[in-house]
Amino acid sequence: MPNGESQALFTRHPKNPILTASDWPYRVHTVFNPGATLLRDGTTLLLCRVEDHTGLSHLCAARSENGVDGWRIDPAPTFAPDPMQHPEELWGVEDPRITWVEELKRYAVAYTAFSVSGPGVALALTEDFVTYERYGLIMQPDDKDAALLPRRIDGNFALVHRPVTDHTANIWLSFSPDLRTWGHHKPMLYAREGGWWDARKIGLSPPLIETDRGWLMIYHGVRHTAAGALYRVGLALFHLDCPTRCLLRADSWVFGPEAPYEVVGDVGYVVFPCGATLRPDGDTLYLYYGAADTCIGLVTTSVSACLRLLEAEGRPSPLHST
Ligand code: BMA
């Protein structure tokens, strides 16, 4: 896709970066990779990954009326690692994805628990982002980039996640009757190979977005270059009743690091969205992302424009890499 079009599909907010470490009410090093949700009163809640000066991460909530500015940030960590009860969190908690689950009347927060065995997927449920019920590790290391679907598929809860096997990182879907016992693991989307922008390593970005055409997936792809890794964002669409079936996948990335705060930071050339909110018009999407593992940016797009792009240039993705 020509650069101009990608700019038009995902538009950086003029107030970017919308949140940085200097906004924090306590001493922190960096803030990035936030999960996002709209609370019932319309408030935007970001659950931000915060790295302190030990190098370990915790989560902290920031709330705003318009999702852009006027953030009210919790005065202390909202969700801190608890390695005494949960040894899998010894080296911190990272990269939350938030799903409202109507059946449970609670938010499901899937996050990375960084254990001595590597990163795994952990789950916690909350009503208010103040108290949490931890389910512990639900996918063992090495696995991350997970989010629950908002409803059951064929009677089971479904979790998108990204296990790493044999130096490739692909997106999988697993099922559970009770959020504790997981099985029926199925591949969902494979990383491509060779020179592709999403070769060898991909992962879910925000939770899947349900549309009348299917589940819209916004995912990140990694290109390894001589200078390091380049994190960009692409689109795919999955069947509503059979979400392992990829209906369309766009070839080109739709958003990548270009702005100064995306190319310079602790880890340059990284845009890493973990959360999105659908605005009241039912089409505009606010996508929140970590920029260079240092601060938080906002890009706006629209669900219908993403679907149009997929229909114009997408093609079905067979379950083998290309
Ligand atoms: C990924 C995750 C993200 C991070 C990104 C870029 O593997 O660990 O938390 O933002 O790398 O460093």
Side-chain angles (χ1 to χ4, degrees), residues 32-33 49 94-95 144 162 201 231 267 270 272 293:
F32 53 114
N33 300 3
R49 172 174 171 189
E94 307 177 350
D95 303 356
K144 52 167 70 171
R162 202 287 304 279
K201 188 174 183 182
Y231 278 72
V267 187
V270 173
F272 199 89
D293 282 10

Side-chain angles (χ1 to χ4, degrees), residues 28-192:
V28 304
H29 173 55
T30 45
V31 298
F32 53 114
N33 300 3
T37 194
L38 272 186
L39 302 176
R40 265 154 295 173
D41 66 359
T43 302
T44 299
L45 179 137
L46 297 186
L47 195 56
C48 309
R49 172 174 171 189
V50 175
E51 191 180 303
D52 65 22
H53 290 80
T54 66
L56 307 191
S57 294
H58 61 267
L59 309 180
C60 184
R63 295 171 176 82
S64 155
E65 299 319 311
N66 61 10
V68 174
D69 54 19
W71 295 97
R72 289 169 283 116
I73 302 169
D74 281 356
T78 307
F79 189 92
D82 181 10
M84 294 304 278
Q85 303 297 322
H86 290 275
E88 69 274 11
E89 297 180 2
L90 184 65
W91 289 336
V93 291
E94 307 177 350
D95 303 356
R97 273 82 169 183
I98 303 169
T99 306
W100 169 255
V101 185
E102 183 62 32
E103 174 187 338
L104 305 173
K105 299 272 187 287
R106 287 197 281 176
Y107 300 92
V109 183
Y111 58 98
T112 301
F114 194 177
S115 75
V116 289
S117 304
V121 175
L123 183 73
L125 298 187
T126 184
E127 270 174 52
D128 51 12
F129 294 93
V130 177
T131 55
Y132 296 82
E133 183 187 1
R134 272 173 160 90
Y135 278 58
L137 212 56
I138 56 169
M139 293 289 162
Q140 82 252 38
D142 186 339
D143 202 330
K144 52 167 70 171
D145 301 328
L148 199 66
L149 267 63
R151 58 179 173 80
R152 292 178 190 251
I153 304 289
D154 277 339
N156 284 306
F157 292 108
L159 184 85
V160 183
H161 59 114
R162 202 287 304 279
V164 177
T165 45
D166 199 22
H167 306 296
T168 60
N170 302 309
I171 299 176
W172 286 64
L173 194 67
S174 298
F175 297 89
S176 170
D178 56 6
L179 296 177
R180 294 193 187 274
T181 318
W182 291 90
H184 299 283
H185 313 291
K186 293 193 169 77
M188 204 176 172
L189 193 71
Y190 278 151
R192 287 181 267 216

